[in-house]
Amino acid sequence: MDLSQILFQAQKEARELKNIQQWEDLYRKYLGKKGKLSDALVALKDLTVEERKKQGQAINHFKQELTQLLAKTQDQLRGSLKAGQRFFDVSSPAVKIPQGHGHPIMEIRRQMEEIFGSLGFSVIEGQEVTSEYYNFDALNIPGDHPARDAMDTFWLGQNNQRSESMLLRTHTSAMQVPYMECHQPPFKIIIPGMVYRYEATDASHDYQFYQLEGLMIDRDISIANFKGVIDVVFQRIFNRQIKTRLRPGFFPFTEPSFEIDLSCVKCQGKGCTLCKQTGWLEIMGAGMVHPNVLRSAKLDHSGWQGFAFGMGLGRIAMIKWGIDDIRLFFSGDLRFLKQF
Amino acid sequence: MLFSFNWLKQYIDLTNISAQKVGELLTLHSFEVESIKKNGSDWILDIDVLANRGHDCRCHLAIAMELAAILEKKPKQHYQNLTSQKIALARGKLRPINIKVQSNKQVPRYAALVIENIKVAASPKWLVGYLEAIGGRSINNVVDLTNYIMCEVGQPMHAFDYDKILALSPEREMIVRLSRQGEGVVTLDGVERELTAGILVIEAGKKLIDLAGIMGGQVSEIGPETKNIILQASCFDGPTIRRATKLLGHRTDASDIYQHNIDPNLADLALGRSIHLLKEMTGPVRVVQKIDFYPEKKIAKQIKLDLAQANSLLGVELSRDKIIQILQSLDFVVQKSNSGGKSIVVLAPTRRLDVVMPEDLIEEIGRIYGYKKIPAKMPYINLALPEINQQAAYKNQVRRSLINWGFNETINYVFTDKSSSLALPLQNPIAKDKICLRMNLIPGLAQNIKNNLKYFSAIRLFEIGRIWCQNLNQNKQLIIHEKESLAGVLLSSDGKEPFFLLKGFVENLIQSFGISDIWFDDALAKDESAFLENDFNVRALAQIKIGDRLLGYCGELRDFAGSIAVGFELDLDVLTQETISERMYEPLAKYPSSVRDLAILAPPETKVGQVLAEINESNVLELVDVDLFDLYQGEELDDKKNLAFHLIFQSSKKTLTDREVDIFMAKIIKNLQEKGWEIRR
């Protein structure tokens, strides 16, 4: 190929340059150590003296043209990249970098895992579809127990074709006995996960919600210990001094049982719309593990004792961020999700 | 449940204690008081009696007893005082009623009094006042009395007109039994009810006169003409009543109490109290017959309580005396024990059906003492590391990466309208479009995109959640499979092919788990991707594989006219299993690399993956990387594809010479030419 054709090719390629990287490639291709120019120079040795002289001039011209071309295109490229002498406006908008957001419930879950984890609690996840036995019977809730009414259940169909009736767990407590069946105390665990209840939805009820269960079994675990643990947990979650109070409650799988209230995070207990003027927010149910539950798990109930609790993480997120409708959590609405 | 503050004051001295204070004390020690409202000179407390005390605390006397224990006061009037009313039997003209209890199991006790010559009239003002204060309605003195007793001592009662029963059954026979399918009764509220089998009823002369424990029948109703009555205070089986209210779709204040089971001994108190009040209202009362079917008398339960256990569970140091004082204040009888003071034996009153074991007593001690007074104390335990939950840790890793890449985490409902033989159906779906459990996450996310299109043109979403399917095992039993799935979707409006953007995210994500041998294969195998056709354009759908193992899918979503949405779904269990968490350092290269470019012209249907595979299979160990940097297809190439690659060669032993690289290139080129691809020079 003669040099003018190569130059023509180079000019064509130079017009198509888009960035400095491509310019460098072009430079290497023509002026580099193994570029077209050096090819041409190497080829000189095979020529006669006459031809060499003539070709030498052509090569010089070729080199000049190429060097100018590349210098010019480099400047053009640089000029479009670098501000140079031109006016530079730092107030121009930034390049939009897509920013993702975690789900608020998962954010609470993560914080809970972190806080309980640093207290030595293991994170356990169980099955959301479980048996009637683990969800009810093993937790001291036999078939005719009124407590079953309070936990209206989604039953799976075709139960006649299974060895036992299956359902969507109505509470994370359904994981207590399966866990205890294959672990020896002492242990302390949290069980985060989705639970399901067959009920009408409104701003504070949904048929699917996220719970976090806690279970701590050892030789000498008391209500005083339960208070100690939850106090630090809620102080961390809400990042302020929080008062908790226990009042009597009833759960078939704990004895004694209690409900836990938090001093209202909005009004600090003075009374506001969030706490319905009571100064307190209901936050979870808890109690000391019922001997029958330990019996279900074949644990010696006279040797071990401890506490269990269950809270709705949606409820905590609602309190923490002032969310007024529980149904937003599972709406997939980006206007909501992008706020967290 | 509504309670009158003034009514409570009948039994306990509450001077200088406000209704608000009483509300607070009850909330902290017994039951939550949901509201306190003024009602003339009275206050009405709405008390949420706990389910395990539904059998004894849905009455004023019991709440007063709770307050007495909390305030450490003696009640004004005690159960004993109330029951001291002896019922004297008089000779009368009425012939006796014959009670036949056909279902012993459902009727632990049937007690009633036959009373002659009663004067049915309007109730006295005080009685009307109390009933109306708690939302009741006055009917006549006899009916009001039964309601008053129920709200006072917690024993539901019912009054029958003796003569109306006599008219139905000249033998004066009342049969208590379970209903048969199709029987009917008109209840006091005038409603004609058709019964299913298994509801407890009372029959007289082949006619039903009562839905036992729920509501009386109109046929034996007390009216102005009534002269003689049968006053019933019975004990019916709780679960039976509860089932009946469900079958009937009808509950009453009486059934609300009965469904919790009640103490059969309560009948004595209720009947004694009734006669006492009747006398006050109407003058002398002639009781001519006492009916009492009570085959097995309930006696107080003995529970041994280890005091150290009580303090250990509560986390306090209560003295023996304090514990005994609390229990006695709740009417428990504490017996002497010869254990050297380490334990006590406690007799629970029979009305405390909920107290059966030491922990029940410990709850009583704890709540009356006050949970508030129990100090918060961190446990003293041995230090132990939490168990490693790899799956949870990996999920958090996925979450972090995707959020950093601009994906928003969403959580969807698990119900779907799509059913198939593999999907788990619900027995009681909450809506017609929520009949099964989801088998994958993509449809939910696709719907999320559609819902968000109104407000956003660039959307990135992901979800980590459970999916289910089922199949039959060898024994023809349905086995449920529950898996953790990860899915992400992306919709962009910048006109670029989003599939490859998503593919990049998927590759990065999987590589972040130390997995390198991932590849994307055409998803054609209909059998395994059958249900994917609902969600993806099969034209642009890939299987994501690690070696031979299927990890998931990645492709263009269906039904997005106008814009292109893409999505992926991975089996998190597979990802977790394939993860390589151990990593070793590789020494940095000592010798420089050489880069050569290679362009090939191939038929349009040639896949980049094929060419790459061939280049890599040319058996050149020094070829350390291959990058596609140009892909062009045009008319001037006869519709062929021009693929241009950077080939990077490097040796760990020396600097490669041009000549050596030439040989490698030749080897690669030869291999490619053998495949029929043209090398452009």
Side-chain angles (χ1 to χ4, degrees):
Chain A
M1 208 188 283
D2 76 41
L3 291 175
S4 61
Q5 248 184 305
I6 294 175
L7 186 60
F8 180 73
Q9 178 67 26
Q11 283 163 341
K12 192 180 141 205
E13 285 179 37
R15 277 196 295 278
E16 287 166 11
L17 288 182
K18 288 196 182 66
N19 55 42
I20 285 292
Q21 182 66 45
Q22 288 178 356
W23 180 87
E24 279 166 5
D25 292 342
L26 192 73
Y27 185 91
R28 223 175 289 132
K29 184 173 170 187
Y30 291 96
L31 296 179
K33 230 197 283 179
K34 291 172 216 146
K36 302 282 182 194
L37 179 68
S38 95
D39 288 352
L41 289 168
V42 167
L44 279 179
K45 68 176 193 301
D46 299 321
L47 302 177
T48 63
V49 181
E50 262 309 304
E51 286 170 317
R52 222 184 274 178
K53 200 174 169 188
K54 200 177 154 201
Q55 185 66 1
Q57 281 174 344
I59 288 175
N60 265 340
H61 173 73
F62 178 61
K63 187 182 173 184
Q64 259 176 13
E65 288 289 327
L66 267 183
T67 313
Q68 272 177 20
L69 174 69
L70 284 165
K72 201 174 96 197
T73 47
Q74 189 183 28
D75 281 348
Q76 281 168 354
L77 281 172
R78 286 231 175 107
S80 67
L81 289 176
K82 227 170 73 180
Q85 318 307 320
R86 282 175 307 138
F87 177 66
F88 191 90
D89 181 4
V90 292
S91 73
S92 290
V95 174
K96 282 241 162 22
I97 297 162
Q99 178 58 57
H101 301 264
H103 194 281
I105 285 178
M106 289 303 158
E107 178 56 22
I108 298 284
R109 175 183 159 161
R110 193 192 58 73
Q111 288 180 22
M112 287 287 183
E113 283 181 10
E114 206 174 284
I115 300 165
F116 278 106
S118 54
L119 291 172
F121 282 68
S122 306
V123 180
I124 304 301
E125 295 179 292
Q127 301 287 301
E128 290 175 14
V129 166
T130 187
S131 65
E132 179 179 10
Y133 172 76
Y134 284 127
N135 196 75
F136 291 123
D137 302 74
L139 294 174
N140 201 31
I141 316 174
D144 55 5
H145 200 287
R148 287 204 180 191
D149 287 359
M151 285 195 263
D152 280 330
T153 307
F154 282 108
W155 296 92
L156 290 184
Q158 301 167 304
N159 271 335
N160 52 339
Q161 292 178 59
R162 295 183 226 283
S163 48
E164 51 188 336
S165 286
M166 300 298 280
L167 45 80
L168 280 166
R169 66 181 175 194
T170 59
H171 48 181
T172 40
S173 311
M175 265 304 289
Q176 285 189 11
V177 171
Y179 179 83
M180 289 195 275
E181 278 174 347
C182 52
H183 290 81
Q184 265 304 310
F187 45 65
K188 37 194 190 305
I189 58 171
I190 52 168
I191 312 160
M194 199 70 84
V195 300
Y196 306 86
R197 295 203 189 154
Y198 188 98
E199 59 183 27
T201 62
D202 59 35
S204 47
H205 296 86
D206 207 342
Y207 51 78
Q208 172 176 327
F209 56 102
Y210 214 90
Q211 269 194 341
L212 184 122
E213 183 87 1
L215 179 67
M216 178 171 189
I217 305 278
D218 209 320
R219 291 284 176 202
D220 194 28
I221 297 300
S222 64
I223 294 177
N225 296 152
F226 170 72
K227 288 178 78 169
V229 170
I230 56 148
D231 279 0
V232 299
V233 168
F234 285 118
Q235 270 167 29
R236 274 293 169 91
I237 285 285
F238 291 102
N239 231 338
R240 69 187 75 164
Q241 281 296 317
I242 290 272
K243 271 189 284 182
T244 55
R245 75 171 185 189
L246 269 57
R247 53 188 170 79
F250 169 64
F251 305 102
F253 39 100
T254 50
E255 189 71 38
S257 304
F258 18 84
E259 300 278 354
I260 290 86
D261 294 338
L262 286 186
S263 55
C264 181
V265 295
K266 195 169 161 194
C267 62
Q268 270 79 46
K270 287 183 210 78
C272 65
T273 49
L274 179 64
C275 59
K276 295 181 191 128
Q277 310 304 329
T278 62
W280 295 97
L281 298 167
E282 247 180 85
I283 200 80
M284 66 172 171
M288 306 308 287
V289 178
H290 195 289
N292 286 354
V293 175
L294 297 175
R295 268 184 213 115
S296 297
K298 309 268 187 304
L299 291 181
D300 171 16
H301 70 279
S302 63
W304 301 105
Q305 65 188 43
F307 60 75
F309 59 84
M311 60 179 118
L313 295 190
R315 166 114 179 114
I316 292 171
M318 289 172 87
I319 292 170
K320 189 175 165 96
W321 287 298
I323 299 164
D324 56 2
D325 192 332
I326 196 169
R327 291 166 296 193
L328 283 168
F329 287 124
F330 307 142
S331 66
D333 192 329
L334 276 168
R335 292 171 299 166
F336 171 73
L337 295 173
K338 278 180 179 286
Q339 296 183 33
F340 302 95
Chain B
M1 190 178 179
L2 301 182
F3 289 82
S4 150
F5 189 54
N6 286 345
W7 191 337
L8 291 172
K9 285 194 214 163
Q10 288 189 56
Y11 317 111
I12 179 169
D13 177 15
L14 293 173
T15 38
N16 300 327
I17 302 175
S18 68
Q20 284 69 23
K21 181 69 190 166
V22 163
E24 192 190 317
L25 288 172
L26 286 172
T27 294
L28 287 177
H29 297 274
S30 305
F31 314 114
E32 187 184 12
V33 176
E34 292 183 328
S35 70
I36 303 171
K37 289 198 182 101
K38 188 130 185 74
N39 179 38
S41 63
D42 195 4
W43 292 92
I44 305 302
L45 289 77
D46 188 354
I47 303 178
D48 185 12
V49 175
L50 289 170
N52 64 331
R53 299 294 302 277
H55 58 269
D56 77 316
C57 274
R58 299 179 73 88
C59 63
H60 283 74
L61 192 56
I63 295 294
M65 292 283 296
E66 286 284 315
L67 282 170
I70 297 163
L71 294 164
E72 295 184 25
K73 282 188 173 191
K74 282 253 175 288
K76 276 191 200 164
Q77 236 172 330
H78 205 260
Y79 275 117
Q80 261 64 35
N81 304 3
L82 290 167
T83 38
S84 61
Q85 320 285 338
K86 282 265 181 276
I87 300 166
L89 212 53
R91 284 174 73 89
K93 281 176 269 169
L94 298 178
R95 297 170 67 194
I97 291 284
N98 304 309
I99 283 285
K100 276 194 182 157
V101 177
Q102 287 185 350
S103 43
N104 291 12
K105 242 190 106 220
Q106 284 78 22
V107 189
R109 184 175 190 183
Y110 191 95
L113 301 175
V114 179
I115 301 168
E116 205 175 86
N117 255 336
I118 202 132
K119 291 183 202 83
V120 177
S123 292
K125 242 169 99 182
W126 67 265
L127 181 51
V128 177
Y130 277 144
L131 289 179
E132 285 180 349
I134 56 167
R137 188 167 60 93
S138 172
I139 294 166
N140 58 49
N141 54 358
V142 174
V143 175
D144 290 359
L145 174 79
T146 61
N147 286 330
Y148 180 81
I149 298 286
M150 173 171 73
C151 298
E152 181 181 46
V153 305
Q155 167 72 57
M157 298 186 76
H158 185 63
F160 298 93
D161 186 318
Y162 175 95
D163 300 293
K164 289 177 183 168
I165 287 172
L166 184 66
L168 290 170
S169 165
E171 302 82 36
R172 306 165 312 280
E173 191 173 67
M174 287 169 72
I175 301 169
V176 189
R177 62 166 171 86
L178 292 174
S179 65
R180 294 180 284 266
Q181 179 75 35
E183 288 186 291
V185 60
V186 179
T187 42
L188 284 172
D189 52 4
V191 177
E192 191 173 342
R193 298 178 190 275
E194 199 183 300
L195 309 185
T196 47
I199 295 167
L200 204 58
V201 292
I202 301 175
E203 177 192 304
K206 302 243 184 291
K207 199 166 169 69
L208 299 189
I209 58 164
D210 189 47
L211 291 176
I214 301 173
M215 191 178 262
Q218 221 171 35
V219 68
S220 55
E221 184 180 11
I222 305 294
E225 70 287 356
T226 301
K227 290 198 170 57
N228 308 306
I229 63 169
I230 302 163
L231 191 63
Q232 169 201 295
S234 289
C235 173
F236 301 118
D237 174 58
T240 305
I241 299 297
R242 200 166 72 92
R243 262 194 305 278
T245 58
K246 280 185 164 176
L247 289 170
L248 291 162
H250 185 68
R251 45 153 290 275
T252 58
D253 291 341
S255 70
D256 282 353
I257 296 179
Y258 271 131
Q259 67 161 345
H260 294 283
N261 274 328
I262 62 165
D263 174 17
N265 293 333
L266 205 52
D268 301 317
L269 170 63
L271 291 173
R273 183 78 175 137
S274 309
I275 299 306
H276 176 78
L277 287 175
L278 261 182
K279 277 182 192 156
E280 272 185 16
M281 290 194 286
T282 65
V285 173
R286 287 177 68 85
V287 177
V288 296
Q289 185 190 355
K290 280 188 196 173
I291 298 163
D292 199 2
F293 167 84
Y294 193 10
E296 202 181 329
K297 186 166 166 62
K298 186 155 184 79
I299 52 165
K301 202 166 280 141
Q302 254 192 9
I303 304 163
K304 190 178 164 196
L305 177 67
D306 179 338
L307 301 177
Q309 188 204 355
N311 280 326
S312 159
L313 205 60
L314 295 171
V316 287
E317 289 302 327
L318 296 183
S319 69
R320 182 190 155 93
D321 287 349
K322 181 67 192 169
I323 289 173
I324 291 174
Q325 178 259 314
I326 290 172
L327 291 173
Q328 284 174 337
S329 75
L330 288 166
D331 243 9
F332 290 84
V333 177
V334 178
Q335 296 183 330
K336 280 200 182 113
S337 137
N338 47 11
S339 62
K342 285 190 177 134
S343 65
I344 51 176
V345 172
V346 178
L347 280 181
T350 53
R351 67 172 187 280
R352 292 303 303 270
L353 301 168
D354 57 308
V355 178
V356 295
M357 59 175 188
E359 287 79 3
D360 296 324
L361 293 173
I362 296 170
E363 177 168 66
E364 297 304 300
I365 298 161
R367 70 183 180 87
I368 296 298
Y369 175 70
Y371 292 135
K372 200 177 172 178
K373 284 195 258 174
I374 297 177
K377 265 191 299 210
M378 274 308 214
Y380 289 105
I381 49 163
N382 292 326
L383 275 179
L385 276 174
E387 281 173 56
I388 290 174
N389 185 332
Q390 207 57 266
Q391 177 104 357
Y394 288 157
K395 283 196 284 187
N396 283 335
Q397 185 182 332
V398 167
R399 216 167 251 133
R400 268 197 310 277
S401 295
L402 290 172
I403 289 169
N404 286 340
W405 298 335
F407 286 82
N408 294 285
E409 183 171 26
T410 178
I411 301 175
N412 281 307
Y413 293 101
V414 299
F415 304 121
T416 164
D417 60 343
K418 294 190 185 69
S419 65
S420 87
S421 59
L422 289 172
L424 258 78
L426 291 159
Q427 204 178 92
N428 53 339
I430 202 155
K432 280 195 189 110
D433 59 348
K434 300 177 174 64
I435 51 173
C436 282
L437 298 188
R438 63 186 177 189
M439 293 174 71
N440 56 348
L441 301 178
I442 282 286
L445 289 167
Q447 189 57 48
N448 292 150
I449 295 187
K450 286 174 187 159
N451 296 345
N452 278 303
L453 272 175
K454 215 194 290 178
Y455 308 101
F456 299 91
S457 56
I459 295 170
R460 292 179 187 181
L461 290 167
F462 76 99
E463 178 173 10
I464 296 173
R466 299 295 168 91
I467 55 171
W468 294 268
C469 66
Q470 62 179 5
N471 61 3
L472 285 172
N473 69 359
Q474 303 101 310
N475 305 326
K476 299 265 183 248
Q477 278 189 334
L478 280 167
I479 303 298
I480 294 167
H481 304 276
E482 181 173 322
K483 283 202 290 191
E484 192 95 62
S485 197
L486 157 70
V489 290
L490 184 156
L491 175 121
S492 65
S493 53
D494 59 7
K496 288 193 192 131
E497 186 71 79
F499 178 90
F500 297 100
L501 179 60
L502 189 70
K503 186 177 172 183
F505 285 131
V506 171
E507 280 184 352
N508 271 7
L509 185 71
I510 297 169
Q511 280 160 3
S512 74
F513 286 89
I515 300 165
S516 55
D517 57 341
I518 54 160
W519 59 292
F520 290 71
D521 197 2
D522 284 308
L524 293 173
K526 292 243 163 155
D527 51 346
E528 51 185 344
S529 60
F531 75 92
L532 292 167
E533 284 178 43
N534 296 322
D535 312 317
F536 290 102
N537 283 329
V538 179
R539 181 187 75 78
L541 175 61
Q543 293 185 332
I544 305 166
K545 288 181 173 171
I546 302 173
D548 294 336
R549 203 165 176 197
L550 182 65
L551 177 63
Y553 295 90
C554 177
E556 245 175 60
L557 301 181
R558 275 182 59 161
D559 304 331
F560 278 90
S563 45
I564 301 177
V566 289
F568 71 92
E569 180 148 4
L570 306 181
D571 185 328
L572 269 182
D573 298 331
V574 175
L575 187 69
T576 309
Q577 287 155 17
E578 295 287 335
T579 293
I580 298 157
S581 49
E582 299 292 322
R583 277 165 219 196
M584 287 297 288
Y585 153 80
E586 266 183 40
L588 305 181
K590 282 188 195 141
Y591 305 101
S593 60
S594 325
V595 182
R596 293 288 173 92
D597 291 352
L598 177 69
I600 53 177
L601 212 52
E605 67 278 8
T606 312
K607 294 194 162 179
V608 177
Q610 281 174 281
V611 181
L612 278 171
E614 286 305 330
I615 294 174
N616 282 319
E617 275 166 32
S618 302
N619 217 6
V620 176
L621 291 176
E622 289 78 2
L623 178 66
V624 291
D625 202 5
V626 185
D627 278 332
L628 177 78
F629 70 89
D630 189 32
L631 176 64
Y632 179 73
Q633 195 166 353
E635 275 175 37
E636 68 272 31
L637 301 176
D638 297 333
D639 266 342
K640 282 192 175 170
K641 235 185 218 170
N642 178 59
L643 301 150
F645 300 92
H646 292 307
L647 275 60
I648 297 132
F649 298 92
Q650 194 167 35
S651 164
S652 58
K653 298 189 185 73
K654 58 177 186 157
T655 304
L656 295 172
T657 64
D658 280 356
R659 208 177 138 60
E660 283 166 325
V661 177
D662 286 345
I663 294 168
F664 296 148
M665 283 298 284
K667 203 170 167 185
I668 291 165
I669 288 166
K670 183 164 172 267
N671 186 31
L672 296 178
Q673 282 171 330
E674 277 167 11
K675 293 285 164 309
W677 295 322
E678 191 184 323
I679 307 298
R680 305 191 79 196
R681 296 173 195 257

